[in-house]
Amino acid sequence: QRKGFDVLLAALATLTELSWQLTIAGDLTRDAVAVAQLHHDLERFSLTKRVHVLGTIETAGLQTLLRSQILRSSSPTIFSQG
């Protein structure tokens, strides 16, 4: 939840009439609870065909991915305790 994927997926789930896809790249071993929640939310919102979770990507692959995206975000929502 600290990255805000739950909020993003809930919002995207309402865009049923639009043609869109989301690609999420990043380390899937760093926070097992967050990754499990992400996959749970994908199922809950029926987004498994629209959202692709790639895991870690090497530099060359990441550059290719970034060039192919129309819109991208690399600034997740992080909530601080305190």
Side-chain angles (χ1 to χ4, degrees), residues 8-10 12-13 20 41-52:
L8 175 62
L9 296 178
L12 290 174
W20 61 267
D41 288 342
L42 291 174
E43 292 287 338
R44 179 169 62 120
F45 294 119
S46 300
L47 295 176
T48 57
K49 292 184 179 179
R50 290 182 177 232
V51 179
H52 310 281

Side-chain angles (χ1 to χ4, degrees), residues 18-38:
L18 299 176
S19 176
W20 61 267
Q21 290 191 355
L22 172 66
T23 302
I24 299 173
D27 187 353
L28 298 177
T29 63
R30 191 172 192 181
D31 186 343
V33 173
V35 172
Q37 185 63 51
L38 172 63

Side-chain angles (χ1 to χ4, degrees), residues 51-68:
V51 179
H52 310 281
V53 181
L54 303 181
T56 302
I57 300 175
E58 297 300 322
T59 302
L62 181 59
Q63 290 172 350
T64 301
L65 178 65
L66 292 175
R67 280 194 296 269
S68 71

Side-chain angles (χ1 to χ4, degrees), residues 62-77:
L62 181 59
Q63 290 172 350
T64 301
L65 178 65
L66 292 175
R67 280 194 296 269
S68 71
Q69 302 302 305
I70 294 171
L71 174 67
R72 67 190 122 174
S73 172
S74 60
S75 300
T77 301

